[in-house]
Amino acid sequence: QVHLVESGGGLVQPGDSLRLSCAASGRTFSSYIMGWFRQAPGKEREFVAGIRWSGDNAYYANSVKGRFTISSDNAENTVYLQMNSLKPEDTAVYYCTAARSRGISELVQSYPYWGQGTQVTVSS
């Protein structure tokens, strides 16, 4: 069983940056993939970025490529999402997720473990 807690959300202006953190606890994560999803009001939860716990094979949604960076710190049991050049359309609740898998998935149903979410609002 895995417990995930997100932090780092907030209210920022367009063009600003935020770094989200996901603290993980539970069993070992060597065989896990970690991901970030986001959900805006009235919309489906959508994939943002994914990474193996080992830190390789990072994968991004087209909407955030070149602006967001996902990374992992095994010593701290933490996954990060560095978000730069934020846009109003990035406004959403951001969720950290995990699954026991070797391949990164963009599907919500692939991930059995979820954090509670952290709000990111990008507005002038």
Side-chain angles (χ1 to χ4, degrees):
Q1 189 171 349
V2 178
H3 184 227
L4 306 172
V5 179
E6 305 96 332
S7 62
L11 173 63
V12 297
Q13 296 183 343
D16 284 354
S17 297
L18 278 175
R19 189 182 75 162
L20 306 183
S21 299
C22 174
S25 62
R27 306 194 183 278
T28 61
F29 299 96
S30 60
S31 299
Y32 279 75
I33 55 173
M34 309 294 293
W36 289 94
F37 283 71
R38 66 187 182 186
Q39 187 167 24
K43 294 191 175 183
E44 298 291 326
R45 192 168 299 188
E46 66 173 352
F47 174 82
V48 175
I51 193 172
R52 292 181 179 177
W53 185 248
S54 61
D56 60 354
N57 288 356
Y59 184 74
Y60 302 90
N62 288 333
S63 59
V64 305
K65 284 182 179 178
R67 298 190 298 121
F68 291 10
T69 303
I70 187 172
S71 61
S72 63
D73 187 336
N74 294 338
E76 298 293 332
N77 287 340
T78 302
V79 176
Y80 302 96
L81 184 67
Q82 178 67 44
M83 305 185 296
N84 299 327
S85 301
L86 283 163
K87 305 175 181 179
E89 49 263 45
D90 295 319
T91 296
V93 177
Y94 283 71
Y95 296 91
C96 179
T97 186
R100 188 174 181 271
S101 176
R102 294 179 180 178
I104 299 171
S105 175
E106 299 182 10
L107 303 177
V108 169
Q109 56 264 42
S110 297
Y111 297 89
Y113 307 108
W114 294 86
Q116 64 182 18
T118 184
Q119 177 71 48
V120 173
T121 302
V122 185
S123 179
S124 299

